[in-house]
Amino acid sequence: MLERRCAGVYAGLIAAMMGLVLRLYILSQSAYYAAVAGGQSSWLLEVDTSRGQIYDCELQPLVSTEMAYLAAVEPSAQAAAALYSALAPEQREAVTRHLAGLPPFVIEVEAPEVYAPGVEVFSVSQRSTEDQTAVHLIGYLDQEGHGVTGIEAAYDTLLTEAGGTLSVRYTTDTMGRALATEPPEVVDEGYNGAGGVVLTIDREIQLLAEEAAARHFEKGAVVVLDVHTGEIRAMASLPVYDPENVAAALDDPDTPLINRALLPYSVGSTFKVLVAATALEQGYAGHTYDCPGYIQVGDTVFHCHNLAGHGLLDMTGALEKSCNPYFISLIQLTGGESVAAKASAIGFGSPLELADGITAAAGRLPTYEELSVPGQEANFGFGQGYLMATPLQIAQLMAAIAGDGAAVTPKLVAGFTENGETLSEYTPTYSAKQVVTPSAAIQVQQMMISVVEEGSGTLAKPELLGAGGKTGSAQTGTYDENGEEIVQAWFAGFYPADDPQYAIAVLAEGMEDGGRYAAPVFKEICDGIANAGKVG
């Protein structure tokens, strides 16, 4: 009881103090306002501004998904008392200075229940949050509210023009004080309009990818493509950053501002599926190799990860066990140039602009001259040497195999909308081009299914509908501070096994085993897609 009485006395003292401060300030400034405010009859207070929306492929908002509360306040003793109980302690000093002035002002409050004459509370959208989804694709804004990176920058003009303002107009006296006898007018000029940019991203799949990756590694990337159209359903990069605190990301040694899905990496054994497809086209389906644990090419000995050797392997068994000597022997038959030509047709070695300022790196394909060196051709046979590719390019490779040999061009922007309900304009989708014969692609699909069912990728096996894929543990030739070689862990494939719809590439940066660290992420994404009813 005593505590409540003290609280009441404290609130009364605060209100009285603020009333006194307000009165003294008004008296000291009255002469000035009488001179300069003659004829002024209204005050327009801007509460908030908005930008055009960014949507996913199902026209679900990707930004401005959470709300905050802003209070438009006419300075008064009653407003002071009401605000002090609704504000955090660190906000009270700032609001004291505002309350000592004459014009109405805006301040953020934690809840809408602020009741006092002259206080109007508005529910406003927050453009971004600390846990913003697809943050690398969406990007962030500068202090003036313009896009700096990502879609925010690529379509800054459109998003600015599709935005609006929310204001309050007050009737004022000659001193600039709002007149209590005249209620304020809320002025909505296109605030939170529905127009904006529509991405190919599926918000549910994007969240699945981000959450699954975060459970298994700290740095890496995930890409999910539509096998038939190339539309990007998810693109996740770890670590993420807070778009409301970019300064912290700039100082982070893990470089969270970088979109790792668009950076080139050593790809390792994920590339073997293209070597296999090329060999099948050339008639080497029956090729076998007796792996003793190594293979010698010229003066160089290439070791298998199984130093004891795998023994006699056919192509399916070699892909299941990811036997390097087998694939070196295979590319010696096909020639490195023929494999490189197919890789180039899929998109390896070329940059890809997804939107203005959002460009996937070219990576690196070895030149024909480099591949004429037997040792470099051998490295190429199991995805090592000069070869580097982005997670997006590896997803393109998987889409080409899963799409019966037809390579698609990745697409990020579906189009634009004026009403948030229908697309008013579509961006073009490029036709797929046949780079592998359907029969060869279908045979490789079956081999990749065996990898998941019986081979090195069993941890990628989904609960439903099966999948095909390939592990990869790519050596980089670079070393950490302990002298250990940095290895990139991969798992990439397609889902479901029959009539594939999604190509998925998972990179666990700096992890040594794709089957252990990347494959479970693939499985969780597939299971999530099935549980969300996004198959079929």
Side-chain angles (χ1 to χ4, degrees), residues 434-475:
Q434 202 73 35
V435 297
V436 175
T437 62
S439 61
I442 290 169
Q443 289 179 75
V444 176
Q445 289 173 26
Q446 294 305 311
M447 295 178 191
M448 293 171 69
I449 292 170
S450 294
V451 169
V452 173
E453 294 291 332
E454 303 174 23
S456 59
T458 54
L459 291 180
K461 184 178 180 179
E463 297 294 330
L464 299 171
L465 303 177
K470 183 70 191 77
T471 56
S473 300
Q475 296 172 290

Side-chain angles (χ1 to χ4, degrees), residues 90-397:
E90 62 270 16
Q91 291 178 287
R92 290 174 181 169
E93 181 179 351
V95 80
T96 299
R97 292 194 297 270
H98 281 298
L99 285 165
L102 292 177
F105 63 92
V106 175
I107 189 166
E108 184 174 356
V109 293
E110 296 181 351
E113 294 81 13
V114 181
Y115 303 115
V119 178
E120 300 284 340
V121 179
F122 298 90
S123 178
V124 299
S125 59
Q126 291 181 286
R127 185 65 178 182
S128 57
T129 58
E130 183 178 357
D131 56 353
Q132 173 72 55
T133 189
V135 64
H136 292 90
L137 289 177
I138 289 169
Y140 63 90
L141 306 176
D142 62 19
Q143 293 184 341
E144 285 71 44
H146 290 289
V148 178
T149 62
I151 294 297
E152 294 279 27
Y155 295 97
D156 184 60
T157 299
L158 183 150
L159 293 170
T160 300
E161 291 175 351
T165 60
L166 179 66
S167 306
V168 179
R169 178 177 285 113
Y170 296 90
T171 302
T172 60
D173 62 16
T174 56
M175 291 172 51
R177 293 175 299 191
L179 297 177
T181 56
E182 298 290 337
E185 174 192 1
V186 176
V187 181
D188 185 335
E189 295 180 312
Y191 183 74
N192 273 354
V197 180
V198 182
L199 305 185
T200 60
I201 295 295
D202 184 305
R203 188 174 188 274
E204 284 188 79
I205 299 177
Q206 177 72 27
L207 288 170
L208 285 170
E210 292 173 354
E211 292 166 0
R215 280 191 286 270
H216 293 274
F217 51 80
E218 295 181 354
K219 293 192 288 187
V222 177
V223 176
V224 182
L225 285 184
D226 185 299
V227 164
H228 304 294
T229 66
E231 292 174 314
I232 300 170
R233 298 305 183 204
M235 182 178 284
S237 178
L238 293 179
V240 296
Y241 67 92
D242 178 2
E244 297 296 311
N245 187 11
V246 176
L250 290 170
D251 296 332
D252 192 326
D254 288 332
T255 59
L257 288 175
I258 294 174
N259 187 347
R260 286 167 162 78
L262 305 180
L263 287 185
Y265 292 86
S266 300
V267 299
S269 295
T270 56
F271 193 70
K272 290 174 180 174
V273 299
L274 188 58
V275 179
T278 306
L280 290 169
E281 277 191 357
Q282 295 183 9
Y284 297 113
H287 176 65
T288 61
Y289 180 78
D290 193 353
C291 171
Y294 66 91
I295 187 172
Q296 184 163 347
V297 179
D299 296 331
T300 305
V301 175
F302 293 88
H303 292 282
C304 185
H305 67 88
N306 182 353
L307 296 178
H310 289 116
L312 187 65
L313 292 172
D314 61 8
M315 197 180 298
T316 298
L319 204 65
E320 285 179 7
K321 294 178 171 57
S322 201
C323 177
N324 291 346
Y326 178 94
F327 280 92
I328 292 173
S329 73
L330 193 60
I331 203 167
Q332 289 174 331
L333 297 174
T334 65
E337 295 88 347
S338 58
V339 178
K342 291 188 180 298
S344 178
I346 289 170
F348 285 63
S350 298
L352 178 65
E353 186 176 68
L354 299 172
D356 186 19
I358 306 177
T359 301
R364 193 181 190 288
L365 266 178
T367 65
Y368 289 173
E369 182 180 2
E370 289 167 341
L371 291 172
S372 68
V373 178
Q376 289 303 328
E377 182 182 68
N379 270 315
F380 193 52
F382 60 102
Q384 293 281 180
Y386 291 124
L387 176 66
M388 295 188 76
T390 66
L392 179 60
Q393 288 167 328
I394 294 299
Q396 288 176 257
L397 169 58

Side-chain angles (χ1 to χ4, degrees), residues 511-534:
M511 312 298 279
E512 70 275 8
D513 187 342
R516 179 179 176 186
Y517 294 102
V521 176
F522 179 95
K523 169 187 163 35
E524 289 181 22
I525 294 170
C526 294
D527 289 341
I529 287 172
N531 292 335
K534 294 184 179 293

